[in-house]
């Protein structure tokens, strides 16, 4: 999928940032983009997660990058091309103790006030500053 050094660096930054989201918490695509220094690229964060390798041998994969913890800025689990995709994400979050509700339009939602994770900097960068 990655076609350039710049794209590889972006994918690496996204996956590394997502790995730092605590268990039972969620954040937005836009917040990940902000944390890695590209606030104008939330959709690209989503693309990176869409292309997260299934292969457990890959450096970053579905087992070690908690993709399910990233949702849209409204607290909604974004619909996927496969109808089961949002349900799978909801189930993965529920397995972590996150409450997922359904709004009036049938969208799956998470309450950011209860489960949101929005640090100003990544924990790994905080440690470097000390």
């Amino acid at each position: 999928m990655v076609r350039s050094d710049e794209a590889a660096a972006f994918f690496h930054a996204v996956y590394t940032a997502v790995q730092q989201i605590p268990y039972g918490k969620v954040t937005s695509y836009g917040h990940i983009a902000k944390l890695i220094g590209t606030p104008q690229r939330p959709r690209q964060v989503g693309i990176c997660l869409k292309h997260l390798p299934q292969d457990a041998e890959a450096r970053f994969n579905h087992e070690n990058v908690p993709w399910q913890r990233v949702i849209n800025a409204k607290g909604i689990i974004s619909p996927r091309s496969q109808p089961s995709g949002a349900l799978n994400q909801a189930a993965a979050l529920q397995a972590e103790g996150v409450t997922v509700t359904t709004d009036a339009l049938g969208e799956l939602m998470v309450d950011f006030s209860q489960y949101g994770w929005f640090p100003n900097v990544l924990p790994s960068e905080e440690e470097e500053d000390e």
Side-chain angles (χ1 to χ4, degrees), residues 19-94:
Q19 286 179 320
Q20 296 179 60
I21 304 169
Y23 184 89
K25 294 292 184 181
V26 295
T27 196
S28 68
Y29 299 102
H31 196 70
I32 293 295
K34 177 184 168 211
L35 288 171
I36 64 171
T38 57
Q40 72 283 12
R41 297 177 75 183
R43 288 185 184 207
Q44 288 81 357
V45 169
I47 290 168
C48 290
L49 294 174
K50 177 181 177 181
H51 293 287
L52 184 62
Q54 297 280 345
D55 180 5
E57 299 296 314
R59 178 174 183 187
F60 297 109
N61 60 67
H62 275 263
E63 298 296 319
N64 66 17
V65 177
W67 57 271
Q68 72 274 13
R69 297 179 190 157
V70 186
I71 61 178
N72 78 23
K74 294 178 183 175
I76 297 171
I77 295 175
S78 298
R80 309 281 190 293
S81 56
Q82 302 171 27
S84 63
L87 293 174
N88 291 341
Q89 186 171 4
L93 288 170
Q94 289 167 329

Side-chain angles (χ1 to χ4, degrees), residues 114-130:
Q114 185 171 2
Y115 300 103
W117 182 77
F118 296 97
N120 291 325
V121 297
L122 288 166
S124 61
E125 292 177 1
E126 257 181 4
E127 293 166 7
E128 291 173 7
D129 291 343
E130 292 176 359

